[in-house]
Amino acid sequence: MTETHQPAALSETAFALPVLAATAFRVVAGANLGDPLSFADDLIHDDTYELGRNAATRRLSLVPEGPGRFRVAADSVAGQPGALVHLDSSLTFMSPDGETAEVLVLVEVDAAGDMTEVHALPLVPLRPKIRYTLVTIDTRNVVTRLAEIACVSFARGTHITMASGEQRLIEDLRPGDRVLTRDDGPQEIRWIGQTTLRASGEQAPIVIKAGTLHNANDLLVSPDHRLFIYQRADILGAGRAEVLVRARHLVNGVTVYSQEGGFIDYFQILFDRHQIIYAEGIAAETLLLDKRTQPALPADLAEALAQKLGGGHSGGIEGFEVSKKMLDLPDAAEALRRASLG
């Protein structure tokens, strides 16, 4: 496919993770009795952990520096702004009922490279009074694991609007297929990824019921998937008509909700540029290639695309995202539906 514009540098936009302080998750039986969760070299298989009764997640905002390397952003609640954070390991724990819980470990260090804090990112909710036994310690695939979670995704069964106007299931799309984009018309798909995740916690899909945002059918997307909405009346006070809204910020428990239970098949679509496409009639973003999501691609493809493709969108929409605070309305989804009608 011929390039018609120069590729931009990979995006370095900050992102947020809901983390626990490692001191809130301690060994209650095993070799490291009494110790908090730590980095991989200090961990021992079969140690049993419990979450503190009053443990709560805090927002850790990070700016990617490279695969598995981040800086704490200025607006972060957890961590020291400017400090370096390394993605250390992916841990799997098993509870007495046989359920597994995955936790990613991030290690914060000071200027001398000494550890100052350990952050735990649970991918499924951890509960107090439940004993979790450490069964696997993975340091090889942890960067890819975070990348898979970071990728915005559509669930199996989502209808995508093609260049011809056809509504095609996302699982039937192939690289080279031409999809209708909002700003650049028909565009060829460069890559499609698929991951199967446990539908719990940060991995559970957000369901937007049919009709909520003028969508023909229910739309299921990953929690941080951003929807593109045109307000005929600026009810959010964003100072512009066009806004990007994260699906998780529209949850109202009725027409927009998190669907937990079982497993979810997620699909990611990558174009030459970060694009807005139409899924069940809703304008929604595609995968933004950046330092965090790049490891989700096959290694050879990731290297080639990083050199050839730009992370930016030709329409410059990255700055259109509105904050959760701006969406603090009795029913943000309904308000946006009305605003889109004028």
Side-chain angles (χ1 to χ4, degrees), residues 9 16 20 43 54-55 61 112 139 148-149 155 173 180 207 209 217 246 254 266 289 304 312:
L20 292 164
L43 301 177
N54 298 317
S61 295
T139 58
E148 291 174 346
I149 298 163
L173 296 178
L180 179 64
V207 180
K209 294 293 292 180
N217 303 297
R246 291 183 187 266
V254 181
Y266 277 136
L289 184 65

Side-chain angles (χ1 to χ4, degrees), residues 67-109:
R69 287 170 51 91
F70 312 91
R71 291 280 176 186
V72 180
D75 67 343
S76 186
V77 175
Q80 181 64 38
L84 183 64
V85 174
H86 296 276
L87 188 56
D88 177 75
S89 53
S90 173
L91 311 178
T92 303
F93 296 87
M94 183 171 289
S95 59
D97 61 3
E99 290 289 329
T100 57
E102 189 176 357
V103 176
L104 303 188
V105 176
L106 300 100
V107 178
E108 185 175 335
V109 298

